[in-house]
Amino acid sequence: MNLIERPRRLRRTPTIRALVRETRLTPDDLVYPLFVCEGEGIRREVGSMPGAFNLSIDELVKEVNAARGVGVRSAILFGVPDHKDAAGTQAYAEDGITQRAIRALKREVKDTLIIADNCLCEYTDHGHCGVIEAGDVLNDPTLDLLARTAVAQAEAGADIIAPSNMMDGFVSAIREALDESGFEQIPILSYAVKYASGFYGPFREAAQSAPQFGDRRSYQMDPANAREAMREAELDYQQGADMLMVKPALPYLDIIRAVRERFDLPIAAYQVSGEYAMIKAAAKLGWIDEERVALESLTSIKRAGADIILTYYAPSLANLLA
Ligand code: PBG
């Protein structure tokens, strides 16, 4: 008897492939990252991120509403203030750009989760994620500023706080400050596993947040390390994170999978600016099919174990899925 295993039986038609498909993306999985700047009527495309913009608050409201229209119900905000200083004051100012943007969105957009990225690098003149002394980023003094930022964001109406700066103890510092201010119902989506990655380059152009000296390797993780990722995730879990993020996404699918298997919290992954820019650039040269590659990348990120995906493709993908 000539018995051949025939997996091709289940690949013969689009209908049967749909029947046996294991991983499906839906707009509910997606979080749309947006950059908000001062001014009015501003919609300035980021050079290295075609299709992504610096938006003034009025334009931001339109963009979030449009995304809502195609089914994207979560956005994460990054502030691009005009005024930056050594202590990142605008991050926690009551009338800082991000706080004003959150208020406007909560007022003018229905049923959309507004996630506030919690970091200082977009607000400091030196571009580092914390307070500097003698060329070093200080950990504990930075925690106080992150905590103040979280409370300011929650007071403005943020639905979720997403700390991204990788100081030790940032989740407990923020949890404590939120609870003390009566925001015990606001979840923390921790950037628990964030690598010191070259893939953030285009973001730093968008947020004008490149470090003015040195780099972020003393606080973001070494791309070579996987066991350390488990330790970082464990610490944030113990400190009370409600959700854990891995960032970047595609180069770190093994890490997404490992975090998924070890923890029962919702797991997020961030398809970062450089991942997006590479697809855009290759597509522009005609070397790849943009839609297909974007969909394949995002499907892979979900297949690896991410429940939530942050992606600049959120609205275009939602359109495609519709
Ligand atoms: C803030 C922050 C960064 C990103 C998200 N939050 C930049 C960085 O760490 O330099 C990068 C996101 C992206 O590249 O799309 N610390």
Side-chain angles (χ1 to χ4, degrees):
M1 196 173 71
N2 178 15
L3 187 68
I4 301 178
E5 286 285 334
R6 297 191 189 278
R8 288 184 59 193
R9 283 185 199 119
L10 302 183
R11 294 181 202 141
R12 290 184 59 234
T13 67
T15 327
I16 199 160
R17 289 195 292 271
L19 183 73
V20 300
R21 186 158 298 133
E22 300 175 29
T23 308
R24 272 172 228 275
L25 290 164
T26 86
D28 283 338
D29 305 329
L30 308 176
V31 177
Y32 188 19
L34 290 160
F35 303 100
V36 58
C37 65
E38 305 281 356
E40 233 189 280
I42 294 176
R43 197 179 169 80
R44 196 167 46 234
E45 193 162 34
V46 181
S48 51
M49 300 176 69
F53 302 85
N54 280 357
L55 302 168
S56 52
I57 292 178
D58 53 329
E59 290 291 324
L60 175 77
V61 167
K62 286 186 210 160
E63 186 70 22
V64 174
N65 261 321
R68 179 76 188 80
V70 294
V72 176
R73 297 193 287 176
S74 303
I76 183 164
L77 288 191
F78 298 94
V80 186
D82 274 351
H83 173 73
K84 304 194 185 209
D85 57 33
T89 315
Q90 290 305 301
Y92 38 91
E94 194 199 334
D95 64 348
I97 180 67
T98 309
Q99 280 69 264
R100 278 183 283 133
I102 295 168
R103 283 196 188 88
L105 289 171
K106 292 316 288 183
R107 198 171 53 235
E108 299 185 40
V109 186
K110 296 271 167 292
D111 305 326
T112 295
L113 284 173
I114 304 302
I115 306 174
D117 179 82
N118 181 289
C119 194
L120 298 182
C121 61
E122 301 110 70
Y123 307 91
T124 53
D125 51 11
H126 46 73
H128 276 287
C129 301
V131 183
I132 303 279
E133 200 178 276
D136 195 23
V137 179
L138 301 181
N139 197 87
D140 299 12
T142 298
L143 295 180
D144 297 334
L145 301 184
L146 297 177
R148 282 174 66 180
T149 303
V151 172
Q153 291 168 332
E155 280 171 347
D159 297 295
I160 297 174
I161 306 295
S164 67
N165 98 330
M166 291 298 279
M167 292 301 117
D168 294 332
F170 69 167
V171 173
S172 52
I174 287 170
R175 184 71 273 159
E176 217 170 283
L178 288 173
D179 290 359
E180 271 168 22
S181 305
F183 295 113
E184 56 284 308
Q185 295 302 331
I186 300 291
I188 295 177
L189 164 58
S190 173
Y191 289 66
V193 181
K194 179 175 179 182
Y195 287 93
S197 172
F199 287 92
Y200 306 150
F203 175 97
R204 292 177 189 173
E205 182 197 343
Q208 293 143 37
S209 65
Q212 298 303 301
F213 65 90
D215 55 42
R216 302 206 206 292
R217 289 177 223 255
S218 78
Y219 41 106
Q220 299 180 351
M221 285 178 48
D222 183 341
N225 293 357
R227 289 190 299 268
E228 189 187 357
M230 295 301 106
R231 182 164 184 234
E232 280 286 357
E234 178 67 36
L235 289 172
D236 287 14
Y237 174 77
Q238 285 169 2
Q239 290 173 35
D242 299 281
M243 298 173 269
L244 300 172
M245 193 194 301
V246 174
K247 173 184 170 197
L250 202 64
Y252 296 88
L253 294 182
D254 57 329
I255 306 297
I256 296 173
R257 164 59 54 184
V259 173
R260 163 78 293 149
E261 282 174 359
R262 179 94 66 105
F263 299 93
D264 290 332
L265 298 180
I267 305 300
Y270 197 149
Q271 183 192 50
V272 300
S273 56
E275 298 178 61
Y276 174 83
M278 286 197 306
I279 299 175
K280 285 281 177 191
K284 193 170 163 188
L285 288 168
W287 292 354
I288 58 171
D289 173 339
E290 179 178 9
E291 267 182 16
R292 193 169 163 189
V293 170
L295 192 63
E296 186 175 332
S297 296
L298 293 162
T299 302
S300 300
I301 293 164
K302 186 162 184 188
R303 191 195 63 231
D307 305 292
I308 302 162
I309 304 174
L310 291 77
T311 173
Y312 302 96
Y313 274 115
S316 35
L317 179 72
N319 247 329
L320 206 70
L321 296 173

